[in-house]
Amino acid sequence: MIRPTSAGAGFLFAGVLLAVSATAALAQGTGSATLDAVAKRGQLVCGVAGSTAGFSLPDSQGVMRGIDADSCRAVAAAALGDAGKIRFVPTTTTNRFTALQSGEVDMLYRSTTWTLGREGNLGGLFASINFYDGTGFLVKKATNVKSVKEMDGATICVQPGTSTELAIADYFRVNNLKFTPILIQDLAEIQNAYLSGRCDAYSTDASALAAFRFQQGDKATDHVLLPEIISKEPLGAMVRKGDDKWFDLVRWTYFATLIAEEYGITSKNVDTFMSSNIPEIRRLLGLEGDMGKALGVDNKWAYNVIKQVGNAGEIWDRNITPMGIPRGINNLWNKGGLQYAPPMR
């Protein structure tokens, strides 16, 4: 008799897990330590910035709003069937990775750039990109500066521990320019430093700069976003390494919002698609295919995401469109953008 190897035994065990119902999987263990912890707690703990309009910022009622906040809610809907079973933990640019590594949060959706150094050195994996961005510069209109290349010798306000800090250093070095960084951790303090004239320019992700300028109201036109975008900043969800099943769920939750948008399935009309004969829609909505079982959750996981949070376009329009930021490269692949989901089959 040939005895199964430990690897073979592992595959057999995985097969058994996938054969049980989603409810039983949650009770007996899903194959994901993080998902099991979330299910036992009955709540997803998501690390966000909590200070950036359009991404994560409490409204006047104290409700966290933004594309990152809604992306967190989508994972809660997928994992627990309820987008409201969530707790947001504000993190800074310097403590966000520690919060993830230590288990203080289950995941990060904090306008965090996917880089080799972060994925290779910090014990995390990037599961999705919900915003393709880039480093930009905001200056006062009164300076009459039209280009970053006119900023030799400038002082630039930037948060420490960010990819922006490195992008500026690289760009100025390549272009034989000099600058003095004004490093300030607190977001409100760094913005006030720029407004008060402590630095010549404020640099961070272009989307955040656009949001900050938008928040200036009648004085928004006093500030100019320079035309150069000097880096690639793909922003998205980060999870801990070593929990592949949780990685899969977070990644495919985002893909589900893209697939829904491709088919025109929204939070308002999703129920009308329950009689669809299109195979991918039926798999998406849990009508066939056991896609949820493969992820350790209920087969209606994506239905819950769409019904409670919406598709990717709805999330964008709710949070980013009001700030006047065009969708551009963040559009679907079939509309000229970079957002592309693999097939759900």
Side-chain angles (χ1 to χ4, degrees), residues 285-337:
L285 300 182
L287 301 171
E288 62 182 60
D290 284 344
M291 296 294 104
K293 286 184 180 180
L295 297 172
V297 295
D298 191 276
N299 280 336
K300 294 188 71 175
W301 64 281
Y303 170 87
N304 292 330
V305 170
I306 300 162
K307 182 71 173 180
Q308 297 177 33
V309 185
N311 68 33
E314 289 181 277
I315 294 171
W316 180 279
D317 288 339
R318 184 162 57 238
N319 299 295
I320 304 299
T321 298
M323 297 190 300
I325 300 175
R327 195 163 177 189
I329 61 173
N330 285 288
N331 220 322
L332 294 178
W333 65 279
N334 54 8
K335 295 182 179 178

Side-chain angles (χ1 to χ4, degrees), residues 265-303:
I265 306 172
T266 70
S267 57
K268 295 180 176 61
N269 70 17
V270 61
D271 289 318
T272 68
F273 283 85
M274 297 300 283
S275 59
S276 173
N277 62 359
I278 298 175
E280 186 166 40
I281 290 178
R282 293 185 64 79
R283 289 190 289 267
L284 176 71
L285 300 182
L287 301 171
E288 62 182 60
D290 284 344
M291 296 294 104
K293 286 184 180 180
L295 297 172
V297 295
D298 191 276
N299 280 336
K300 294 188 71 175
W301 64 281
Y303 170 87

Side-chain angles (χ1 to χ4, degrees), residues 133-137 148 171 206 225-233:
D133 211 341
T135 296
F137 296 84
V148 180
Y171 183 84
L225 267 170
L226 297 181
E228 292 94 345
I229 300 295
I230 67 166
S231 70
K232 295 181 292 185
E233 305 293 334

Side-chain angles (χ1 to χ4, degrees), residues 44-51 55-56 64 68-69 71-72 86-92 95-97 99-100 103-112 236-238 240 246:
L44 172 71
V45 182
C46 198
V48 296
S51 56
F55 287 82
S56 58
M64 194 69 72
D68 285 348
S71 296
C72 291
I86 190 164
R87 178 165 62 89
F88 294 103
V89 175
T91 60
T92 68
N95 74 9
R96 54 184 162 172
F97 302 119
L100 180 63
E104 180 183 350
V105 299
D106 300 311
M107 58 181 293
L108 285 178
Y109 249 126
R110 197 206 173 281
S111 301
T112 299
M238 192 178 189
R240 286 181 293 276
W246 180 245

Side-chain angles (χ1 to χ4, degrees), residues 136-181:
F137 296 84
L138 190 69
V139 298
K140 294 184 176 67
K141 185 177 181 180
T143 64
N144 204 35
V145 171
K146 306 295 184 185
S147 168
V148 180
K149 293 181 180 179
E150 298 174 14
M151 292 173 56
D152 191 21
T155 54
I156 301 176
C157 281
V158 61
Q159 288 182 295
T162 61
S163 57
T164 298
E165 186 181 1
L166 297 175
I168 296 171
D170 286 349
Y171 183 84
F172 274 68
R173 178 182 176 184
V174 168
N175 288 280
N176 295 314
L177 302 172
K178 294 181 180 180
F179 78 102
T180 300

Side-chain angles (χ1 to χ4, degrees), residues 251-263:
R251 164 176 277 187
W252 278 95
T253 294
Y254 184 66
F255 286 157
T257 68
L258 295 177
I259 294 170
E261 185 181 4
E262 287 184 25
Y263 283 107

